[in-house]
Amino acid sequence: MVLGSGIKGVGPRMPLYSTPSSDLTKWTFLGALWEPGMNETFATDGVEISGSQGFNFEVSGFYTLQEEANGTERYFTNFGAEGGSVEGHARWALWNEGKVTARANGSVAYETIAAGVSDWGNLYAMTSFLDTKNKDRRVQWGWSEDEPNGNLPLSRAIGYNGALGLPRELFVKTIEGVVDTADKYLSKKGSFIVSVNECKGKKTLTASTKGFRPLPQVIHALRGSATGSYTYPRGARKPGVVEMLKDKSGKAIHSDQFSLSATISHVGKAVSELGFIVRASPDGEEQTKIIYHPHKHRIEIHREQSSQLITKKILGGSTIWGHFRPLILARTNAQEDINVMIFVDGSLIEVFVNDRFAATTRVYPWREDSMGIGFYVKGDETKTGSGGDDQSATIEDMRLWTGLGEKVDKKNLGGGLVWPKRPADSSSKLVWDTPDQTGNGTWWAGY
């Protein structure tokens, strides 16, 4: 067993304990599995790649994941890092891969060999378990706090605070046949473990990292419960106005509960950004942008227009940002495809890219018509070369499922959703603890 901890003025710690399987009441402290310094970061390029480890760990985990090809076990930790004071990340969920060796005193030492971010948004307190009913895969859950962060009147109006994100499958993600970049991205300390392969005198690299994706069965169940399903044709999208998604009749699609997937096979050299727009009002007053910046190697979720509550200064609208960089494939000398999955459930937005990037956030549109969904490409004319596709991005496949959960798929959902008896109108009367019941707001002794 590992716990989260820290020593003031020294650094975060991951205490390690053991117990005989015959008696789970007797635990022995074996020392700290891992002893990083204060607010360290592992990657050569710093927090942009692997985050900052802060001064204290919360909800730590320690487990192995097997390589699919040969069954080799690799050791991973996950933890919540507190106090790093990075913009937008007072705390965040991180992961490490490490080597494990025995200590002379019978304890175990852990040495980091790769590190990354489990979620670039506010999904936190991530814990995992071994799913023995499904080939011993490892499943992870995380918790997304509501934006009010103690804003009591708004929390009461919403009727709850916090939600679980989609359950994720953890695995070793391997990309074979890649080459390094001019700036030696794969040669630096970061989130990848790299090995060299040689065939007929030609050297290529295999890069592996911690992979995570929503559980396939959950995705299938959610999409199977959708009331609407749409497929959009392959084609190059050029800079211009936002392409709002429509149905076959040409009517704009509106939804605040949907799943969107897209494969982007080409991003022109002069594309400065491409992105998706969700929870948008018809006039664009309210909208949330999910943007990929190819030259910055960043994915950002812009929330400054996500709600009128931001302009009224009831809520903050900070931008969520995270590192994502496609690898270069040796056989094509071009970037790998970018596979995007976006899930929106009311205020909750979850974004997954290429099984190695995830970001979760909350938005609170005030207008009832803020349900539009769109896609756009933005070009930078100063970077345009001789090729006509320099400012375009090619969508190979884009699909949309709307109204998730409105049509129950009994075969896959067991006859109901997570809360099958939840009323469609959640504005039912709330239960509130009175001052008399709580000792005038004293929830427990010493608070």
Side-chain angles (χ1 to χ4, degrees):
M1 176 178 69
V2 292
L3 299 177
S5 183
I7 302 174
K8 189 172 183 179
V10 179
R13 290 293 182 268
M14 197 171 287
L16 176 66
Y17 295 81
S18 69
T19 182
S21 58
S22 58
D23 187 351
L24 299 184
T25 67
K26 297 178 180 178
W27 290 87
T28 301
F29 176 52
L30 300 178
L33 173 72
W34 184 31
E35 300 178 322
M38 294 189 293
N39 204 28
E40 289 183 349
T41 187
F42 174 76
T44 302
D45 291 335
V47 296
E48 289 277 343
I49 306 295
S50 60
S52 62
Q53 294 166 2
F55 300 88
N56 185 62
F57 288 161
E58 289 191 301
V59 195
S60 296
F62 177 49
Y63 46 85
T64 60
L65 299 174
Q66 289 188 345
E67 293 184 17
E68 185 176 352
N70 54 28
T72 300
E73 287 194 330
R74 292 165 60 167
Y75 292 89
F76 290 88
T77 62
N78 65 260
F79 51 95
E82 285 192 303
S85 299
V86 176
E87 182 181 359
H89 296 286
R91 61 184 187 184
W92 47 2
L94 308 179
W95 64 265
N96 267 225
E97 180 178 356
K99 293 181 178 180
V100 176
T101 56
R103 286 177 169 152
N105 64 355
S107 183
V108 178
Y110 178 90
E111 177 189 358
T112 300
I113 58 175
V117 177
S118 297
D119 194 280
W120 291 91
N122 76 345
L123 204 70
Y124 194 68
M126 300 177 77
T127 189
S128 68
F129 65 92
L130 199 62
D131 183 3
T132 57
K133 294 184 178 181
N134 288 279
K135 298 181 180 180
D136 285 348
R137 66 180 175 181
R138 183 154 290 273
V139 176
Q140 186 177 56
W141 288 89
W143 162 68
S144 174
E145 187 176 17
D146 272 274
E147 189 68 21
N149 291 333
N151 186 323
L152 194 57
L154 190 55
S155 295
R156 290 183 67 175
I158 293 173
Y160 59 87
N161 193 304
L164 292 178
L166 290 168
R168 303 177 180 184
E169 179 182 6
L170 306 183
F171 60 100
V172 176
K173 173 74 173 180
T174 301
I175 307 101
E176 297 181 341
V178 299
V179 294
D180 210 348
T181 54
D183 62 350
K184 301 298 180 183
Y185 172 65
L186 290 176
S187 300
K188 300 175 183 177
K189 291 195 305 180
S191 57
F192 287 98
I193 301 296
V194 179
S195 60
V196 179
N197 308 303
E198 186 168 355
C199 181
K200 297 181 181 180
K202 184 177 181 180
K203 291 184 179 180
T204 62
L205 305 176
T206 295
S208 62
T209 185
K210 181 179 178 181
F212 36 83
R213 59 193 171 211
L215 284 184
Q217 290 95 330
V218 173
I219 297 176
H220 180 73
L222 286 173
R223 291 173 178 173
S225 71
T227 55
S229 177
Y230 312 89
T231 301
Y232 299 90
R234 179 189 185 277
R237 268 65 171 186
K238 296 182 179 180
V241 297
V242 175
E243 174 188 340
M244 300 306 293
L245 300 188
K246 301 177 181 179
D247 60 20
K248 290 182 179 180
S249 68
K251 183 180 179 181
I253 296 173
H254 296 91
S255 179
D256 64 350
Q257 291 178 309
F258 66 86
S259 168
L260 186 151
S261 69
T263 297
I264 303 166
S265 62
H266 169 79
V267 179
K269 295 179 181 179
V271 171
S272 60
E273 63 183 62
L274 59 87
F276 299 87
I277 293 178
V278 301
R279 299 305 312 267
S281 59
D283 59 1
E285 180 190 24
E286 289 188 340
Q287 59 179 302
T288 299
K289 291 183 178 181
I290 302 166
I291 304 172
Y292 168 52
H293 294 277
H295 301 292
K296 296 180 181 178
H297 309 305
R298 270 194 177 203
I299 293 174
E300 298 176 351
I301 304 178
H302 286 246
R303 303 185 300 158
E304 62 270 14
Q305 289 181 259
S306 63
S307 175
Q308 291 182 13
L309 297 176
I310 294 171
T311 59
K312 297 178 184 297
K313 297 184 179 180
I314 297 174
L315 287 176
S318 61
T319 294
I320 305 301
W321 60 268
H323 173 79
F324 173 74
R325 185 168 182 173
L327 302 186
I328 307 298
L329 302 178
R331 58 183 173 81
T332 61
N333 200 34
Q335 292 183 351
E336 62 181 323
D337 289 353
I338 301 172
N339 300 301
V340 180
M341 287 192 291
I342 299 171
F343 298 87
V344 172
D345 184 8
S347 65
L348 185 67
I349 297 177
E350 295 185 76
V351 181
F352 299 88
V353 183
N354 283 38
D355 294 342
R356 61 179 189 265
F357 172 93
T360 304
T361 191
R362 311 299 290 268
V363 296
Y364 307 91
W366 194 251
R367 293 175 50 164
E368 292 185 355
D369 60 354
S370 294
M371 294 194 190
I373 307 164
F375 177 80
Y376 76 96
V377 175
K378 184 177 180 181
D380 183 350
E381 295 182 359
T382 64
K383 291 186 172 65
T384 304
S386 57
D389 62 350
D390 276 0
Q391 291 194 56
S392 69
T394 302
I395 299 290
E396 291 293 332
D397 178 58
M398 184 158 63
R399 296 196 63 186
L400 175 68
W401 295 261
T402 60
L404 302 184
E406 293 181 11
K407 181 183 73 175
V408 175
D409 184 336
K410 294 185 178 181
K411 179 179 179 181
N412 294 310
L413 292 176
L417 300 173
V418 178
W419 302 107
K421 296 182 180 180
R422 180 178 58 189
D425 179 6
S426 61
S427 300
S428 53
K429 185 177 180 181
L430 302 178
V431 177
W432 190 253
D433 295 322
T434 67
D436 290 338
Q437 292 173 309
T438 62
N440 201 28
T442 302
W443 299 97
W444 60 84
Y447 177 69

